[in-house]
Amino acid sequence: MSKPKLVLIGNGMAGVRTLEELLKLAPGKYDITVFGAEPHPNYNRILLSPVLAGEKKLEDIILNDEAWYAEHGITLHKGKKVVAIDRVRRCVRTEDGTEAGYDRLLLATGSAPFILPVPGKDLEGVVGFRDIRDVELMLEASEKHRHAVVIGGGLLGLEAANGLKKRGMDVTVVHLLDTLMERQLDKPAAALLQRALEDSGLDFKLEAQTEALLGEGRVRAVRFKDGSEVPADLVVMAVGIRPNIELAKASGIHCERGILVSDTMQTFDPQVYAVGECVQHRGELFGLVAPLFEQAKVCANHLAEFGIARYEGSVTSTKLKVTGIDLFSAGEYQGGAGCEELLFQDPSRGVYKKLVVRDNKVAGAVLYGDTVDGAWYFQMMRDGTDISAFRENILFGQAHMGDSGHGAESHAARLPEDAEVCGCNGVCKKTIVDAIVQKKLFTLDEVRAHTKASASCGSCTGLVEQILQSTLGSDYSVSPAKKPLCKCTDLTHEEVREAVRIQGLKTIPELMGSLGWRTPDGCHACRPALNYYLLCQWPNEYRDDPQSRFINERVHANIQKDGTYSVVPRIWGGVTNPRELRAIADVAEKFQVPCVKITGGQRIDLLGVPKAQLPAIWAELGKHGLMSGHAYGKSLRTVKTCVGKEWCRFGTQDSTTLGIELEKMTWGSWTPAKVKMAVSGCPRNCAEATIKDFGVVAVDSGWELHVGGNGGVKVRATDFLCKVQTDEEVMEYAAAYMQLYREEARYLERTAHWIERVGLPYLQSRIVDDAAGRRALCARFLESQRKAQIDPWAERAQGAEKHEFEPLTPAERKAHACIA
C-alpha cells in the first residue's frame, strides 16, 4: 500500500523543522518531497551575520545536509522554484516543469526583504540581506569597494553594518526614525547602543528619508529628502520583510498580509498547511525563531493525524547580541498609562536596566549590557508574579535574591571553555557549545535534554540561555507561550492537574487515554509527575504505582555511586537516646556497614548497604522502633531543631518539642519535591530555619514563620510569612502551607522556585489572610496523612515488593545468605 504524499515548498528553518517534528511522531507516514528555491540544503538563516563578519563559514551553518534527506527517504529538489499549485489535481510545478503530486501540502515560503521603491533601486550594488546569495554579493563588494550604506537601523541592518565594517568598509547606517531598534529598545538603551557602535567605527544618519539611489550601472551614492548625499558603492536594504505569499495567492489560497492559517496551521484549503514567516495567524505576522518552531510542532501533530495540538500565539522575549553587546527586551518595554518604571543605570559599566511594572507585576523589560537576568524577569512576567515583596531588590538581579549559584559570571561569552556552568550536573561551557553546534540545538529544553545543564535547580538558566544566544547568533529567542509537561503531551502541569480534578481521572492509563498522550506508556518525565498528581488529588482512592517512581523511592533508600544504598532511620527532631544509638550500632556491626555518618539534618546515615540486605536491616531497626526517615523521597525529610529553652540560656521557646510535633504531623507526606523544616528556639537561629522550606524561629512573644528557603546549590533565604503566638497555630499554618504546596506546585519544583513563581503575597493571601481557607487546607492535609503515614520499611521487612530486593547474581545471593 502506497503512502500518502506530503510536499513541502520551502527548504527553510520552519518547514524542515516541521518535518523533523513529524518524523519523531510518525516516521513512516508520508512519502515526502521538498522543493527549495536556493541551491543549498537547509541552513540556519540566523547565522548569516557571522558568515558576513567572517566568524563562520557556510558549511558551519548547514542544519541538515543532503545525507539527512536521504537517510529519511526525503526527495529534495534544490534550486527549483515552485511557480504553480494545481489544487484540483493536487500537484505542484516548478520553473523547469518538474511536477509532484500531494495529498498534503505544506507551504513554508518564508519572507522576502522589502526593497524601498525609490529611483535607482535596481542598480548594481543594491542588495537585501536575506539569504546566502545576498551575503555573497556583499562579500564580493567588500573586496572591491570602500563605501557601504545600510538603510535600516533595526537588528538586521546593524548586523549587516557590523559585518561590512569587519570586512574593511566604511559604513553609514541610515534610519528613518530618531532611535535605533525601536521595536526592541527604549530611547535610553538605544542611545547607549548607538554610542557604543559609533565608538566601534560606524557612522549614523538618523531621521533621514532616502529619496534616490544615484549611479549609472552601479550605485555611487544615496540622496536624501533634505538634498544631502553620502557616497555608496554598496547599498544594503534592511528595512523589513514581507511574507512571501505570491504563490499562495496565485493558487487561490486566502491571504491578507500573510497566508491565513487556523490554530491547527491549516489554510482555508484543509489539504494545505502553512508555517513560518509566510503565515498570518490571528492577525499576527512572525519573524523570530521561537514562534516558528512552535508552529512547526503543532503542524506536525496534525500532519501525523494526532489532532490534539493548537497554536494559540506566542509570548516571546528577545535576546540579542549586536556587535558584542548583550540586549534583552520583552513585553511592554515602552511602558504607558498605568505603568511604573524601575530603572538602573551604570554608565561606566555600560549597563542599563528598565522594568515596566503594572499592579506590582512585571509587564515588560529592557536590559542593555547585562542580560543574565532576562530569563528570570521574563518568567515572572509570564507567570504574573507579584513582586511587591522584593521590588526594592529586583533590579539588582536574581543573584541578590540569595541565589548564590547564579550570576557568578554575567557574560557567558567571556567564560573559558572549561568553566563549569551547571554545578548540579557538572556541565561546562564547552559541553553546551558543542551540543548546540553538533546537535543543531535551538532551545533551552533541547540543551537540557542533551547536556542536563539547567535541568536541576535551574539557577544557571540565565547563563545557559546566554551561551545559546552567543552560539546561535543574534536572533535567538525562546520561551514558548506555555511549557508542556513533557514531550508526550502539549498540556502543561496545571492543565493536567485541572483535568485530573474536573474529569475525575483516577489512573495513569485513564489519564493518558483521556488527554491524548502521544506515547502509550509515557516517559521518565511524565510518569512520576502523573503518579504524584493522582496521589495528591485522590489520597484515599488512588493506588500508588511504584513503577512510576524513581529508583530511590521504589526501594526506599538512596542509591550510591558504587550501586549500594544508604539507610537513614527517622530520628524525631534530631533527638535520640542510648537505646536507639545502641540499636543502630548493633545493626552496623551485624551487617558490616562500611560507613556510619552524621548528616547535616541531625540524622545517622548507614552507607554502603547492598540492596538485598535492606529488608533485613529495616527489620532489625524496626524491632527498636526505628522507621524510615524518607531521606530518599520527594517528601518531608527532616525537622531540624536546636535544644531550645530547656537547655540553652538564650532559648525563648521549646523548639525541640515543637519540632518533634511538626515532624510527627508531616512525615510520610508525598510532595512535589523534597521538603525540609527547622525550628529554632531563639533569633540566633542555630537550627538554620531561614534556609529551610518551612522555618520556625522563636521570639519572646511567639513564633515567626518563614517559607521558601533553600540551602543546596541554590542558596535562598526564606521569606517571612507571618508571626503567630501558639504552637497550635504553628501546626495549622504548617499543614496549610504543605497542602497548598502539594496542590499547586509543579512536580520537582522546590518551594523556593514555587514561591518565586507565584509570589509571596499570593501565599499570604491564601494562608494568612484567609482563615477559613487555611483551615480547609489544613484539614485536607491531615486527611491525606491518614493513608500516607505507613512505614514503608516495616511493610518491606515483612515481604512487600520482595522482587525489588532479590539478589541478581550468584555472588550477591551467597553474600545475602551468609548475612541472613
Side-chain angles (χ1 to χ4, degrees):
M1 183 177 175
S2 62
K3 299 177 184 175
K5 296 175 181 175
L6 170 65
V7 168
L8 165 62
I9 302 177
N11 192 28
M13 296 174 70
V16 176
R17 182 70 167 206
T18 307
L19 296 186
E20 291 175 339
E21 296 286 349
L22 176 62
L23 292 170
K24 292 179 193 172
L25 299 175
K29 186 171 182 62
Y30 291 99
D31 275 335
I32 301 173
T33 301
V34 177
F35 288 94
E38 292 185 67
H40 310 286
N42 173 240
Y43 64 88
N44 186 347
R45 199 180 300 276
I46 298 171
L47 294 181
L48 286 175
S49 299
V51 174
L52 175 62
E55 297 163 356
K56 290 183 184 293
K57 298 178 180 176
L58 175 58
E59 53 266 30
D60 296 330
I61 66 171
I62 297 295
L63 292 172
N64 301 90
D65 58 19
E66 296 192 33
W68 179 85
Y69 295 86
E71 178 186 345
H72 293 89
I74 297 172
T75 302
L76 173 63
H77 294 288
K78 294 186 302 180
K80 290 194 176 185
K81 183 178 180 181
V82 174
V83 294
I85 301 171
D86 187 334
R87 291 166 55 209
V88 176
R89 292 175 53 225
R90 291 187 183 172
C91 72
V92 302
R93 189 178 74 252
T94 65
E95 284 175 320
D96 67 357
T98 302
E99 288 195 349
Y102 68 83
D103 296 289
R104 295 285 185 277
L105 177 63
L106 175 58
L107 299 176
T109 48
S111 61
F114 177 65
I115 302 297
L116 291 175
V118 294
K121 65 182 177 59
D122 297 321
L123 289 170
E124 184 184 352
V126 179
V127 300
F129 185 21
R130 194 61 194 154
D131 56 28
I132 288 175
R133 179 58 184 157
D134 292 332
V135 173
E136 290 173 342
L137 289 172
M138 284 190 269
L139 292 176
E140 187 179 316
S142 69
E143 293 174 357
K144 300 176 182 175
H145 303 284
R146 179 179 173 186
H147 299 291
V149 170
V150 176
I151 302 177
L155 171 64
L156 265 186
L158 296 181
E159 288 191 331
N162 179 54
L164 292 170
K165 182 69 185 173
K166 287 190 172 182
R167 292 289 178 175
M169 300 192 79
D170 294 336
V171 184
T172 301
V173 177
V174 176
H175 197 46
L176 185 60
L177 302 180
D178 63 348
T179 179
L180 300 174
M181 293 185 64
E182 69 280 356
R183 297 182 66 180
Q184 288 88 20
L185 302 179
D186 63 354
K187 287 194 174 184
L192 285 171
L193 176 64
Q194 182 179 340
R195 197 152 53 241
L197 295 177
E198 286 171 340
D199 290 344
S200 73
L202 292 178
D203 293 326
F204 289 90
K205 189 173 179 62
L206 303 186
E207 297 183 90
Q209 186 172 356
T210 303
E211 183 178 73
L213 308 183
L214 309 178
E216 295 177 1
R218 187 176 185 89
V219 66
R220 64 168 177 78
V222 178
R223 187 172 68 210
F224 302 98
K225 284 284 187 185
D226 63 3
S228 62
E229 296 181 8
V230 293
D233 306 307
L234 171 70
V235 173
V236 180
M237 295 270 198
V239 290
I241 56 174
R242 296 281 172 85
N244 197 345
I245 59 175
E246 299 310 315
L247 178 64
K249 285 175 71 175
S251 63
I253 295 173
H254 187 50
C255 300
E256 291 179 355
R257 292 183 297 152
I259 302 170
L260 264 66
V261 293
S262 66
D263 288 357
T264 60
M265 306 313 298
Q266 282 174 297
T267 68
F268 277 49
D269 181 340
Q271 307 301 320
V272 181
Y273 293 75
V275 294
E277 294 175 343
C278 62
V279 308
Q280 179 180 336
H281 174 265
R282 299 189 183 187
E284 296 290 329
L285 301 176
F286 305 90
L288 298 175
V289 169
L292 272 54
F293 284 1
E294 288 185 65
Q295 294 170 9
K297 203 167 186 177
V298 172
C299 186
N301 184 286
H302 288 276
L303 287 171
E305 298 183 352
F306 285 5
I308 56 173
R310 298 176 69 83
Y311 179 69
E312 298 173 343
S314 299
V315 179
T316 59
S317 61
T318 305
K319 295 189 80 170
L320 311 167
K321 196 176 192 71
V322 179
T323 65
I325 301 167
D326 292 317
L327 308 172
F328 173 90
S329 73
E332 303 172 41
Y333 62 90
Q334 295 284 15
C339 292
E340 304 169 85
E341 295 181 358
L342 308 182
L343 296 175
F344 174 92
Q345 287 180 288
D346 187 345
S348 64
R349 287 199 302 132
V351 174
Y352 172 82
K353 298 181 180 183
K354 170 182 165 183
L355 291 185
V356 177
V357 178
R358 181 187 294 115
D359 298 330
N360 274 321
K361 296 176 181 175
V362 177
V366 178
L367 308 179
Y368 176 95
D370 180 359
T371 62
V372 72
D373 289 301
W376 183 50
Y377 295 138
F378 184 63
Q379 186 66 40
M380 287 191 287
M381 190 179 85
R382 199 168 52 177
D383 292 338
T385 302
D386 189 325
I387 64 167
S388 55
F390 53 94
R391 61 181 289 161
E392 69 270 24
N393 295 320
I394 191 170
L395 279 173
F396 297 107
Q398 200 173 15
H400 293 268
M401 300 293 290
D403 180 2
S404 68
H406 188 86
E409 290 282 352
S410 60
H411 300 285
R414 298 175 192 165
L415 291 175
E417 287 189 339
D418 59 353
E420 186 176 78
V421 174
C422 177
C424 299
N425 296 301
V427 184
C428 67
K429 178 184 172 183
K430 185 176 188 304
T431 302
I432 297 171
V433 171
D434 287 349
I436 294 169
V437 173
Q438 293 167 12
K439 304 290 184 183
K440 315 296 184 187
L441 310 183
F442 281 94
T443 68
L444 179 63
D445 282 343
E446 289 174 340
V447 172
R448 284 172 173 162
H450 282 83
T451 68
K452 295 187 178 180
S454 171
S456 295
C457 79
S459 62
C460 62
T461 298
L463 278 176
V464 176
E465 287 203 320
Q466 278 204 340
I467 293 171
L468 257 169
Q469 178 257 314
S470 62
T471 307
L472 284 176
S474 59
D475 194 26
Y476 163 66
S477 61
V478 290
S479 304
K482 64 178 187 179
K483 184 179 179 181
L485 191 154
C486 71
K487 294 178 179 177
C488 303
T489 180
D490 291 323
L491 299 175
T492 64
H493 287 261
E494 288 75 16
E495 290 169 336
V496 170
R497 297 194 81 161
E498 185 180 17
V500 167
R501 181 175 55 82
I502 293 177
Q503 299 182 32
L505 306 175
K506 294 182 179 175
T507 68
I508 290 179
E510 184 184 11
L511 184 156
M512 289 180 171
S514 177
L515 302 184
W517 234 246
R518 296 193 187 102
T519 49
D521 297 320
C523 68
H524 71 284
C526 64
R527 283 198 73 96
L530 300 184
N531 187 55
Y532 169 72
Y533 292 151
L534 290 165
L535 192 64
C536 181
Q537 183 64 44
W538 314 112
N540 295 322
E541 299 167 75
Y542 179 67
R543 185 173 180 179
D544 185 33
D545 178 17
Q547 297 310 309
S548 295
R549 290 189 176 276
F550 296 115
I551 178 64
N552 288 350
E553 292 185 349
R554 210 161 60 238
V555 300
H556 295 273
N558 273 327
I559 192 167
Q560 305 298 307
K561 61 187 291 185
D562 63 353
T564 63
Y565 289 80
S566 70
V567 172
V568 185
R570 187 166 296 283
I571 296 178
W572 306 103
V575 178
T576 185
N577 54 54
R579 179 180 57 78
E580 289 181 346
L581 292 174
R582 192 174 296 114
I584 293 172
D586 289 345
V587 165
E589 283 188 348
K590 178 177 180 179
F591 292 89
Q592 301 172 22
V593 174
C595 181
V596 180
K597 174 80 172 62
I598 304 294
T599 74
Q602 300 177 336
R603 304 293 185 265
I604 296 175
D605 195 349
L606 307 178
L607 290 151
V609 179
K611 186 164 72 171
Q613 288 185 1
L614 291 172
I617 287 184
W618 295 337
E620 285 292 323
L621 292 170
K623 291 177 184 174
H624 302 277
L626 291 163
M627 56 182 288
S628 169
H630 288 84
Y632 46 81
K634 283 133 189 79
S635 59
L636 186 278
R637 296 282 183 91
T638 61
V639 180
K640 188 174 182 179
T641 67
C642 67
V643 295
K645 72 175 184 180
E646 185 177 4
W647 297 100
C648 178
R649 59 195 176 96
F650 298 111
T652 60
Q653 305 285 354
D654 186 355
S655 54
T656 309
T657 299
L658 179 59
I660 292 172
E661 289 177 358
L662 269 177
E663 188 161 359
K664 290 195 171 179
M665 178 181 74
T666 52
W667 76 270
S669 170
W670 292 112
T671 47
K674 63 183 177 183
V675 172
K676 296 180 180 179
M677 297 185 178
V679 184
S680 288
C682 79
R684 287 174 173 76
N685 193 20
C686 292
E688 301 167 329
T690 49
I691 56 167
K692 301 299 182 187
D693 297 276
F694 185 79
V696 184
V697 179
V699 291
D700 287 339
S701 57
W703 303 95
E704 287 183 354
L705 306 185
H706 298 257
V707 294
N710 194 325
V713 171
K714 177 184 167 114
V715 178
R716 182 185 191 277
T718 50
D719 294 315
F720 174 69
L721 180 67
C722 64
K723 181 182 168 189
V724 298
Q725 293 184 334
T726 67
D727 292 8
E728 291 74 20
E729 288 178 295
V730 173
M731 300 294 281
E732 180 178 296
Y733 279 72
Y737 171 71
M738 286 285 282
Q739 187 64 12
L740 188 63
Y741 172 55
R742 294 179 75 237
E743 292 181 355
E744 299 193 359
R746 297 163 185 164
Y747 186 68
L748 298 184
E749 187 176 41
R750 292 292 302 271
T751 60
H753 294 146
W754 171 55
I755 292 173
E756 286 181 359
R757 178 166 62 84
V758 302
L760 180 64
Y762 172 73
L763 258 69
Q764 290 171 323
S765 70
R766 295 290 305 274
I767 298 174
V768 181
D769 302 336
D770 181 1
R774 178 178 68 248
R775 287 193 289 272
L777 284 165
C778 175
R780 290 203 294 278
F781 179 74
L782 297 178
E783 173 63 21
S784 72
Q785 287 296 80
R786 287 196 309 113
K787 288 287 184 72
Q789 291 193 324
I790 298 171
D791 180 17
W793 286 4
E795 289 185 324
R796 279 142 190 84
Q798 294 173 9
E801 306 289 339
K802 187 177 179 181
H803 64 280
E804 285 284 0
F805 309 97
E806 294 285 357
L808 298 176
T809 66
E812 287 177 333
R813 285 195 289 272
K814 184 177 179 181
H816 181 58
C818 290
I819 295 297

